[in-house]
Amino acid sequence: MTATSTTPVPVAPKFPWTGLIALATATFLSVTSEMIPTGLLPDMSASLGVSEAQIGLLVTVFAFTVVLTSAPLTALTKRWSRHGLLIGILVVLGLSNALTAIAPSYEFVVGSRILGGIAHGMFWSIVGAYAGHLVPKEQIGRAVSITLAGGTLAFVLGVPLGTFAGHVFGWRLSFGTIAALMFVGAVVVWRFLPAVERDEDAVGVRRRDRTTPKRRDRTIPAVIMVCLIAAVTMVGHYAFYTFVVPFLTGPMGVPAGNVGALLFVYGIAGAGGLLLAGSVLGPRPQLGLLLALGVTGVSVAALALVYAQPVAALIAFLLWGLAFGALPPLLQTRLLHTSSAAFRDTASALYTTSFNIGIGGGALLGSLIFDAGGLMLLPWCYVALLAVSVVLVGIVGRMTRDRDAVPA
């Protein structure tokens, strides 16, 4: 007779598709809310009686609010349920967009965007780490790509459709629709996103890991460098992208009615970049970052040179969308691979702050250059800052190799 083994066979946990899709939905709404003013610059400018540069500064106000509030609010709410906090954030974002939709003046819009920036900063301080908590480390790249697919879909559908609706029916309807969708998104998250443990609730390895930062976590310098790369890259991108509509309708000669469609195609290209990041490039984020940064720089430089040639300019524009679409997931994946498990939540908060410094700083830099009549300088500023990012990525690669070569 043979003895029957009672040892349970390990079963791999199911990949949390439903929860990650719920996170992607929330990401879609948050990014659409953040970036919709870039597609409605002329409409909001004419309606509120301010310059297009001032409307562009709404992106700066939004982003700098994130910078100033995300870290302290993350610390203040560290003992709160991540699940409940995410639902509350979406409700506040809905309220912010509703207030923008009924705003009687530019100053009122600024106030409503500040409210939205507070919630948006909290959102990005937890969403990356939330996705990481749902899966084992080897699946982080895949989970992050799925979550950030919502952001790419915002550029594919959210911003272009919001721009189109704003041109046809008025910009206030766009913000009102986003507000309604935010409330629906809160219900989706409540119903389909599983809760995750807070660090202080965890046991075993995670509890022991919590002492690591107090002993000067070895991953902190490299994490800070990844955050710096994100900031520099986003300064360049948003200096140009914040004013992409004036660039399209001005130097490129695109009719205003076709801008929404062109942004839609740009977003489709970005979705392709996201797929590359989640499959081909995700397992090697260091190499992926170098490739994505290099192709982005080449395509933006080409766009600045051939803007008057429709076919060549369109190819360069789409290549830019493809390459840039891979950058956010690759940066987030690089961050989570670089950081220790104990430092991951704090690293995500630092990354959010850095990313939004880049967004706000880029929009501010772009506003200054645009106001000074230097629209054509924006793509070259972008290319120069991408070159800096390439150098910094190389430094991070050396830092992590040297760190891993030293015994803990």
Side-chain angles (χ1 to χ4, degrees):
M1 295 180 63
T2 58
T4 302
S5 173
T6 59
T7 304
V9 178
V11 178
K14 291 180 62 177
F15 192 74
W17 281 105
T18 302
L20 290 172
I21 290 172
L23 275 183
T25 300
T27 304
F28 167 81
L29 295 170
S30 185
V31 172
T32 301
S33 174
E34 177 187 19
M35 296 310 304
I36 192 64
T38 63
L40 298 173
L41 283 174
D43 308 87
M44 296 180 72
S45 171
S47 174
L48 296 171
V50 296
S51 69
E52 291 185 2
Q54 286 176 281
I55 300 299
L57 284 174
L58 290 175
V59 178
T60 300
V61 169
F62 194 92
F64 281 174
T65 301
V66 172
V67 171
L68 294 174
T69 63
S70 60
L73 287 178
T74 298
L76 184 65
T77 59
K78 66 180 180 180
R79 296 183 182 275
W80 295 17
S81 162
R82 302 291 94 181
H83 186 261
L85 184 59
L86 195 56
I87 294 170
I89 286 169
L90 291 174
V91 171
V92 174
L93 282 170
L95 178 61
S96 167
N97 282 279
L99 291 174
T100 301
I102 63 173
S105 66
Y106 176 74
E107 292 75 17
F108 194 97
V109 172
V110 171
S112 67
R113 296 294 287 177
I114 289 174
L115 177 63
I118 293 171
H120 186 77
M122 288 295 299
F123 177 84
W124 284 103
S125 291
I126 66 175
V127 69
Y130 206 120
H133 287 317
L134 290 173
V135 296
K137 183 177 180 179
E138 60 271 16
Q139 294 181 337
I140 284 177
R142 187 182 181 192
V144 167
S145 293
I146 292 169
T147 301
L148 295 188
T152 299
L153 191 61
F155 286 101
V156 173
L157 291 176
V159 175
L161 288 178
T163 299
F164 175 78
H167 288 328
V168 176
F169 303 108
W171 62 271
R172 295 181 186 275
L173 178 64
S174 293
F175 281 98
T177 302
I178 294 171
L181 291 174
M182 285 290 183
F183 298 131
V184 173
V187 175
V188 169
V189 167
W190 168 74
R191 177 66 180 83
F192 296 107
L193 180 65
V196 296
E197 290 181 325
R198 303 189 305 273
D199 283 347
E200 18 322 313
D201 294 335
V203 294
V205 172
R206 188 175 294 176
R207 182 173 295 280
R208 292 193 297 273
D209 281 347
R210 282 181 58 81
T211 65
T212 304
K214 297 179 180 179
R215 293 183 289 146
R216 194 172 181 82
D217 193 313
R218 292 191 307 152
T219 67
I220 291 176
V223 164
I224 292 173
M225 188 63 70
V226 174
C227 292
L228 180 60
I229 294 167
V232 171
T233 302
M234 295 306 127
V235 166
H237 180 75
Y238 284 96
F240 187 24
Y241 189 81
T242 301
F243 297 95
V244 71
V245 172
F247 184 85
L248 293 174
T249 58
M252 284 185 63
V254 176
N258 294 341
V259 168
L262 197 55
L263 291 178
F264 174 80
V265 176
Y266 177 91
I268 291 289
L274 181 76
L275 290 175
L276 287 174
S279 55
V280 179
L281 303 177
R284 302 183 65 184
Q286 175 74 10
L287 175 61
L289 276 175
L290 291 172
L291 288 173
L293 288 168
V295 175
T296 300
V298 170
S299 59
V300 171
L303 184 62
L305 293 172
V306 301
Y307 61 88
Q309 304 173 32
V311 175
L314 179 61
I315 293 173
F317 187 70
L318 296 181
L319 188 59
W320 172 26
L322 176 71
F324 182 78
L327 281 175
L330 286 172
L331 283 166
Q332 185 86 52
T333 302
R334 190 70 175 102
L335 178 85
L336 296 177
H337 279 200
T338 299
S339 173
S340 66
F343 194 62
R344 190 176 291 163
D345 287 348
T346 303
S348 294
L350 292 174
Y351 177 80
T352 298
T353 299
S354 301
F355 203 94
N356 282 276
I357 286 175
I359 293 174
L364 177 59
L365 178 62
S367 294
L368 294 174
I369 295 175
F370 182 78
D371 251 357
L375 180 61
M376 291 306 300
L377 292 177
L378 294 177
W380 296 112
C381 172
Y382 189 5
V383 171
L385 289 172
L386 287 171
V388 174
S389 293
V390 168
V391 174
L392 294 177
V393 170
I395 294 174
V396 168
R398 177 170 296 182
M399 289 173 67
T400 53
R401 284 194 300 271
D402 293 346
R403 184 194 70 203
D404 294 341
V406 179

